[in-house]
Amino acid sequence: MSEPRQLICVGSYTSETGGKGAGITTFWRDTGTGELTESGRLALVSPSWLTWHPRLPVLYAVNELPEGTVTAVSVSETAELTALNSLATGGADPCHLAVTPDGRHLLCANYTGGNLAVFSLAPDGLLGERTDLVAHEGSGPDADRQEAAHVHMAVVSEDGSIVSAVDLGTDEIRSYTLSEDGRLTPLAVSALPPGTGPRQLVRRPGTGYAYVVGELSSTVLTVREEPPGAFTVEDVTSAIAAPGPRNLVAHLEIVGETMYVSNRGADCVTAFEFDGPLPRAVTDYPANGWPRHFTVLDGHCYTTSQNDNELLAFSLAPGAAVTRYPTGTPVFLLPRPV
Protein backbone atom coordinates (compact mmCIF):
# COMPACT_ATOMS: atom_id res chain seq x y z
CA MET A 1 0.00 0.00 0.00
CA SER A 2 1.46 3.37 -1.02
CA GLU A 3 2.04 6.15 1.49
CA PRO A 4 -0.61 8.91 1.46
CA ARG A 5 2.03 11.62 1.21
CA GLN A 6 5.55 12.16 -0.07
CA LEU A 7 8.10 14.77 0.93
CA ILE A 8 9.46 17.17 -1.69
CA CYS A 9 12.40 19.48 -0.91
CA VAL A 10 12.75 22.66 -2.97
CA GLY A 11 16.06 24.50 -3.33
CA SER A 12 16.21 28.20 -4.17
CA TYR A 13 18.44 31.17 -4.81
CA THR A 14 18.58 33.37 -1.73
CA SER A 15 19.30 37.07 -1.20
CA GLU A 16 23.06 36.49 -1.05
CA THR A 17 22.99 35.70 -4.78
CA GLY A 18 20.18 38.03 -5.81
CA GLY A 19 17.29 35.62 -5.23
CA LYS A 20 14.14 35.72 -3.15
CA GLY A 21 14.20 32.22 -1.72
CA ALA A 22 14.25 31.06 1.90
CA GLY A 23 16.80 28.28 1.38
CA ILE A 24 15.25 24.78 1.37
CA THR A 25 11.45 24.70 1.56
CA THR A 26 9.67 21.41 2.17
CA PHE A 27 6.27 20.37 0.86
CA TRP A 28 4.09 17.34 1.48
CA ARG A 29 2.68 15.93 -1.73
CA ASP A 30 -0.69 14.18 -1.54
CA THR A 31 -0.02 11.01 -3.54
CA GLY A 32 -3.70 10.70 -4.42
CA THR A 33 -4.45 14.21 -5.67
CA GLY A 34 -0.94 15.45 -6.42
CA GLU A 35 -1.52 18.61 -4.36
CA LEU A 36 1.32 20.24 -2.39
CA THR A 37 1.23 21.67 1.14
CA GLU A 38 4.18 23.64 2.49
CA SER A 39 5.52 22.11 5.71
CA GLY A 40 8.74 23.90 6.66
CA ARG A 41 11.91 25.77 5.78
CA LEU A 42 15.61 25.67 6.45
CA ALA A 43 17.58 28.90 6.03
CA LEU A 44 20.56 28.01 3.83
CA VAL A 45 22.47 30.10 1.30
CA SER A 46 21.46 29.39 -2.32
CA PRO A 47 20.99 25.59 -2.20
CA SER A 48 20.57 25.25 -5.97
CA TRP A 49 21.12 21.48 -6.18
CA LEU A 50 20.16 18.75 -3.68
CA THR A 51 20.77 15.02 -3.57
CA TRP A 52 19.93 12.20 -1.15
CA HIS A 53 22.27 9.80 0.58
CA PRO A 54 21.42 6.33 -0.84
CA ARG A 55 20.49 4.86 2.57
CA LEU A 56 20.39 7.55 5.27
CA PRO A 57 17.83 10.32 5.92
CA VAL A 58 20.45 12.87 4.91
CA LEU A 59 20.57 15.16 1.89
CA TYR A 60 23.38 17.30 0.55
CA ALA A 61 23.03 20.83 -0.79
CA VAL A 62 25.40 22.99 -2.79
CA ASN A 63 25.73 26.58 -1.68
CA GLU A 64 26.22 28.29 -5.03
CA LEU A 65 28.65 31.05 -4.08
CA PRO A 66 31.90 32.50 -5.49
CA GLU A 67 33.61 30.53 -2.72
CA GLY A 68 31.41 27.45 -2.94
CA THR A 69 30.43 25.17 -0.10
CA VAL A 70 28.40 21.99 0.33
CA THR A 71 26.17 21.30 3.34
CA ALA A 72 24.89 18.02 4.81
CA VAL A 73 21.31 18.18 6.11
CA SER A 74 19.42 15.61 8.18
CA VAL A 75 15.73 15.10 7.40
CA SER A 76 13.38 13.63 10.01
CA GLU A 77 10.31 11.57 9.28
CA THR A 78 8.24 14.64 10.10
CA ALA A 79 10.25 16.71 7.55
CA GLU A 80 12.28 18.67 10.10
CA LEU A 81 15.55 19.77 8.47
CA THR A 82 18.78 20.29 10.43
CA ALA A 83 22.08 21.46 8.94
CA LEU A 84 24.86 19.12 10.06
CA ASN A 85 28.16 20.40 8.65
CA SER A 86 29.59 22.28 5.66
CA LEU A 87 32.85 22.17 3.71
CA ALA A 88 34.42 24.31 0.99
CA THR A 89 34.08 22.76 -2.47
CA GLY A 90 37.37 24.13 -3.77
CA GLY A 91 35.74 26.07 -6.59
CA ALA A 92 33.27 28.79 -7.50
CA ASP A 93 29.54 28.27 -8.00
CA PRO A 94 29.01 24.56 -7.30
CA CYS A 95 25.96 23.42 -9.28
CA HIS A 96 25.64 19.62 -9.04
CA LEU A 97 26.13 16.79 -6.55
CA ALA A 98 26.13 12.99 -6.76
CA VAL A 99 26.68 10.32 -4.12
CA THR A 100 28.30 6.99 -4.96
CA PRO A 101 26.01 3.95 -4.60
CA ASP A 102 27.91 2.72 -1.53
CA GLY A 103 27.38 6.06 0.22
CA ARG A 104 31.11 6.57 0.82
CA HIS A 105 31.82 9.53 -1.47
CA LEU A 106 30.17 12.73 -2.68
CA LEU A 107 31.02 14.31 -6.06
CA CYS A 108 30.62 18.06 -6.59
CA ALA A 109 30.78 19.96 -9.91
CA ASN A 110 32.06 23.53 -9.55
CA TYR A 111 30.69 25.44 -12.53
CA THR A 112 32.67 28.69 -12.60
CA GLY A 113 35.59 27.00 -10.88
CA GLY A 114 35.81 24.54 -13.77
CA ASN A 115 36.74 21.68 -11.47
CA LEU A 116 35.40 18.51 -9.87
CA ALA A 117 35.66 17.76 -6.15
CA VAL A 118 35.38 14.48 -4.21
CA PHE A 119 34.47 14.26 -0.51
CA SER A 120 34.49 11.31 1.83
CA LEU A 121 31.27 10.61 3.73
CA ALA A 122 31.15 9.26 7.27
CA PRO A 123 28.93 6.28 8.20
CA ASP A 124 26.40 8.73 9.69
CA GLY A 125 26.32 10.82 6.50
CA LEU A 126 28.46 13.71 7.72
CA LEU A 127 30.84 15.29 5.25
CA GLY A 128 34.42 14.16 5.74
CA GLU A 129 37.52 15.52 4.09
CA ARG A 130 37.87 16.59 0.48
CA THR A 131 39.84 13.74 -1.04
CA ASP A 132 40.47 15.12 -4.53
CA LEU A 133 40.01 18.15 -6.76
CA VAL A 134 40.65 17.93 -10.51
CA ALA A 135 40.68 20.97 -12.80
CA HIS A 136 39.52 21.07 -16.42
CA GLU A 137 41.06 23.30 -19.07
CA GLY A 138 39.79 24.47 -22.45
CA SER A 139 37.10 26.57 -24.08
CA GLY A 140 34.44 26.51 -26.80
CA PRO A 141 33.17 28.68 -29.66
CA ASP A 142 30.62 30.63 -27.59
CA ALA A 143 32.74 33.53 -26.32
CA ASP A 144 30.24 34.51 -23.63
CA ARG A 145 29.51 31.08 -22.13
CA GLN A 146 32.49 28.95 -23.17
CA GLU A 147 35.43 31.18 -22.36
CA ALA A 148 36.75 28.52 -19.97
CA ALA A 149 35.92 25.12 -18.52
CA HIS A 150 32.56 24.92 -16.70
CA VAL A 151 31.89 21.56 -15.05
CA HIS A 152 28.10 21.21 -14.86
CA MET A 153 27.45 17.62 -13.75
CA ALA A 154 29.16 14.56 -12.30
CA VAL A 155 27.55 11.23 -13.20
CA VAL A 156 28.51 8.10 -11.27
CA SER A 157 28.38 4.67 -12.90
CA GLU A 158 26.09 1.99 -11.49
CA ASP A 159 28.95 0.25 -9.69
CA GLY A 160 30.46 3.54 -8.50
CA SER A 161 33.82 2.98 -10.16
CA ILE A 162 33.58 5.65 -12.91
CA VAL A 163 32.69 9.34 -12.70
CA SER A 164 31.81 11.21 -15.91
CA ALA A 165 32.01 15.00 -15.70
CA VAL A 166 29.97 17.04 -18.18
CA ASP A 167 31.78 20.26 -19.15
CA LEU A 168 29.63 23.00 -20.69
CA GLY A 169 32.64 25.21 -21.40
CA THR A 170 34.77 22.72 -23.34
CA ASP A 171 32.05 20.63 -25.07
CA GLU A 172 33.39 17.46 -23.47
CA ILE A 173 32.57 14.58 -21.17
CA ARG A 174 35.63 13.75 -19.09
CA SER A 175 35.53 10.37 -17.34
CA TYR A 176 37.62 9.25 -14.38
CA THR A 177 38.03 6.11 -12.35
CA LEU A 178 37.27 6.62 -8.66
CA SER A 179 39.46 4.78 -6.18
CA GLU A 180 38.46 3.39 -2.79
CA ASP A 181 40.17 6.35 -1.11
CA GLY A 182 38.34 8.94 -3.22
CA ARG A 183 40.96 9.77 -5.83
CA LEU A 184 40.18 10.44 -9.50
CA THR A 185 42.32 9.10 -12.36
CA PRO A 186 41.66 10.24 -15.98
CA LEU A 187 40.02 7.52 -18.07
CA ALA A 188 38.56 9.03 -21.27
CA VAL A 189 37.70 12.33 -22.92
CA SER A 190 34.66 12.36 -25.24
CA ALA A 191 34.26 15.35 -27.57
CA LEU A 192 30.81 16.71 -28.43
CA PRO A 193 29.88 18.99 -31.36
CA PRO A 194 31.35 22.49 -30.90
CA GLY A 195 28.92 24.91 -29.28
CA THR A 196 26.76 22.17 -27.71
CA GLY A 197 27.29 23.48 -24.19
CA PRO A 198 26.48 20.13 -22.53
CA ARG A 199 24.65 20.53 -19.23
CA GLN A 200 23.48 17.08 -18.14
CA LEU A 201 24.05 13.41 -18.95
CA VAL A 202 21.54 10.66 -18.07
CA ARG A 203 22.02 6.96 -18.79
CA ARG A 204 19.12 4.78 -19.97
CA PRO A 205 19.62 1.64 -17.88
CA GLY A 206 20.25 -1.63 -19.67
CA THR A 207 20.74 -0.09 -23.12
CA GLY A 208 24.34 1.09 -23.38
CA TYR A 209 22.98 4.51 -24.37
CA ALA A 210 22.88 7.84 -22.58
CA TYR A 211 21.45 11.25 -23.41
CA VAL A 212 23.04 14.67 -23.14
CA VAL A 213 21.21 17.98 -23.17
CA GLY A 214 22.99 20.79 -24.99
CA GLU A 215 22.11 23.96 -23.13
CA LEU A 216 23.58 26.29 -25.75
CA SER A 217 22.56 24.35 -28.87
CA SER A 218 19.01 23.54 -27.67
CA THR A 219 19.53 19.90 -28.58
CA VAL A 220 19.40 16.40 -27.13
CA LEU A 221 22.31 14.14 -28.07
CA THR A 222 22.09 10.36 -28.12
CA VAL A 223 25.47 8.93 -27.11
CA ARG A 224 26.61 5.32 -27.00
CA GLU A 225 28.84 4.35 -24.08
CA GLU A 226 31.46 1.85 -25.16
CA PRO A 227 33.77 1.09 -23.45
CA PRO A 228 32.55 2.34 -20.03
CA GLY A 229 33.24 6.04 -19.62
CA ALA A 230 33.72 6.72 -23.35
CA PHE A 231 30.82 8.30 -25.26
CA THR A 232 30.22 8.51 -29.02
CA VAL A 233 27.54 10.77 -30.49
CA GLU A 234 25.05 8.84 -32.65
CA ASP A 235 22.23 11.36 -33.04
CA VAL A 236 21.34 15.00 -32.40
CA THR A 237 17.75 16.24 -32.27
CA SER A 238 15.87 19.36 -31.22
CA ALA A 239 15.08 19.79 -27.53
CA ILE A 240 11.59 21.12 -28.31
CA ALA A 241 8.76 19.72 -30.39
CA ALA A 242 7.72 22.99 -32.06
CA PRO A 243 10.06 25.70 -33.39
CA GLY A 244 10.50 28.48 -30.87
CA PRO A 245 12.62 31.40 -29.67
CA ARG A 246 16.21 31.34 -28.43
CA ASN A 247 16.19 28.46 -25.98
CA LEU A 248 18.47 27.23 -23.19
CA VAL A 249 17.92 23.61 -22.18
CA ALA A 250 18.04 22.84 -18.44
CA HIS A 251 17.00 19.50 -16.92
CA LEU A 252 16.64 15.94 -18.26
CA GLU A 253 14.79 12.99 -16.72
CA ILE A 254 13.83 9.55 -18.02
CA VAL A 255 10.65 8.18 -16.45
CA GLY A 256 9.75 4.70 -17.63
CA GLU A 257 9.73 4.81 -21.43
CA THR A 258 9.41 8.60 -21.70
CA MET A 259 12.09 11.27 -21.55
CA TYR A 260 11.41 14.81 -20.40
CA VAL A 261 13.46 17.97 -20.90
CA SER A 262 12.89 21.48 -19.52
CA ASN A 263 13.44 24.43 -21.84
CA ARG A 264 14.06 28.05 -20.83
CA GLY A 265 13.13 30.55 -23.49
CA ALA A 266 10.62 28.23 -25.08
CA ASP A 267 9.35 27.91 -21.46
CA CYS A 268 8.09 24.36 -21.63
CA VAL A 269 8.72 20.82 -20.49
CA THR A 270 9.05 18.62 -23.57
CA ALA A 271 8.15 14.92 -23.65
CA PHE A 272 10.08 12.52 -25.89
CA GLU A 273 9.21 9.05 -27.11
CA PHE A 274 11.88 6.51 -28.01
CA ASP A 275 12.26 4.91 -31.42
CA GLY A 276 14.79 2.27 -30.46
CA PRO A 277 17.58 4.24 -28.82
CA LEU A 278 16.61 7.54 -30.47
CA PRO A 279 14.34 10.06 -28.72
CA ARG A 280 11.95 12.32 -30.63
CA ALA A 281 10.09 15.28 -29.17
CA VAL A 282 6.31 14.79 -29.23
CA THR A 283 4.71 17.28 -26.80
CA ASP A 284 5.66 20.66 -25.35
CA TYR A 285 3.91 21.28 -22.02
CA PRO A 286 3.78 25.03 -21.28
CA ALA A 287 5.74 25.99 -18.16
CA ASN A 288 6.19 29.73 -17.80
CA GLY A 289 8.83 31.67 -15.91
CA TRP A 290 12.15 30.01 -16.86
CA PRO A 291 11.57 26.34 -15.88
CA ARG A 292 15.01 25.40 -14.61
CA HIS A 293 14.20 22.10 -12.93
CA PHE A 294 11.30 19.65 -12.64
CA THR A 295 10.31 16.18 -11.50
CA VAL A 296 7.62 13.80 -12.78
CA LEU A 297 5.68 11.79 -10.19
CA ASP A 298 2.67 9.55 -10.84
CA GLY A 299 1.69 11.33 -14.03
CA HIS A 300 2.12 14.83 -12.56
CA CYS A 301 4.88 17.30 -13.44
CA TYR A 302 6.25 19.68 -10.81
CA THR A 303 8.33 22.51 -12.23
CA THR A 304 10.34 25.39 -10.77
CA SER A 305 9.26 28.68 -12.31
CA GLN A 306 12.45 30.52 -11.36
CA ASN A 307 11.60 33.98 -12.65
CA ASP A 308 7.95 33.96 -11.54
CA ASN A 309 8.72 32.80 -7.98
CA GLU A 310 6.41 29.82 -7.96
CA LEU A 311 6.14 26.09 -8.42
CA LEU A 312 3.94 24.81 -11.23
CA ALA A 313 2.08 21.51 -10.91
CA PHE A 314 0.07 19.90 -13.68
CA SER A 315 -1.13 16.51 -14.83
CA LEU A 316 0.44 15.20 -18.03
CA ALA A 317 -3.05 14.33 -19.28
CA PRO A 318 -4.17 16.50 -22.23
CA GLY A 319 -5.73 19.85 -21.29
CA ALA A 320 -4.93 19.62 -17.58
CA ALA A 321 -5.05 22.79 -15.49
CA VAL A 322 -1.92 24.25 -13.84
CA THR A 323 -1.75 24.79 -10.08
CA ARG A 324 0.67 27.44 -8.80
CA TYR A 325 2.44 27.52 -5.43
CA PRO A 326 4.20 30.81 -4.52
CA THR A 327 7.87 30.10 -3.68
CA GLY A 328 10.82 32.49 -3.85
CA THR A 329 13.21 31.86 -6.76
CA PRO A 330 12.85 28.06 -6.85
CA VAL A 331 15.48 26.23 -8.93
CA PHE A 332 15.40 22.60 -7.76
CA LEU A 333 12.91 19.93 -6.62
CA LEU A 334 13.92 16.73 -4.84
CA PRO A 335 11.30 14.13 -3.85
CA ARG A 336 12.13 11.75 -1.04
CA PRO A 337 12.41 8.22 -2.47
CA VAL A 338 9.47 5.95 -1.67
Side-chain angles (χ1 to χ4, degrees), residues 148-163:
H150 294 304
V151 183
H152 214 300
M153 190 177 208
V155 183
V156 183
S157 63
E158 187 176 359
D159 64 2
S161 66
I162 297 174
V163 177

Side-chain angles (χ1 to χ4, degrees), residues 194-256:
T196 294
R199 183 181 176 95
Q200 294 188 356
L201 164 73
V202 174
R203 290 182 173 94
R204 189 179 180 196
T207 68
Y209 285 90
Y211 303 89
V212 178
V213 286
E215 176 175 342
L216 304 183
S217 60
S218 186
T219 55
V220 175
L221 287 67
T222 300
V223 294
R224 184 167 181 81
E225 185 177 7
E226 188 179 357
F231 301 89
T232 302
V233 177
E234 295 205 350
D235 184 68
V236 180
T237 189
S238 173
I240 50 179
R246 164 72 170 161
N247 183 58
L248 298 174
V249 185
H251 184 57
L252 165 67
E253 283 193 12
I254 298 176
V255 182

Side-chain angles (χ1 to χ4, degrees), residues 14 16 21-25 40-47 63 71 73 81 83:
T14 58
E16 292 85 350
I24 301 176
T25 303
R41 297 180 178 183
L42 174 66
L44 203 62
V45 177
S46 292
N63 306 113
T71 300
V73 178
L81 274 58

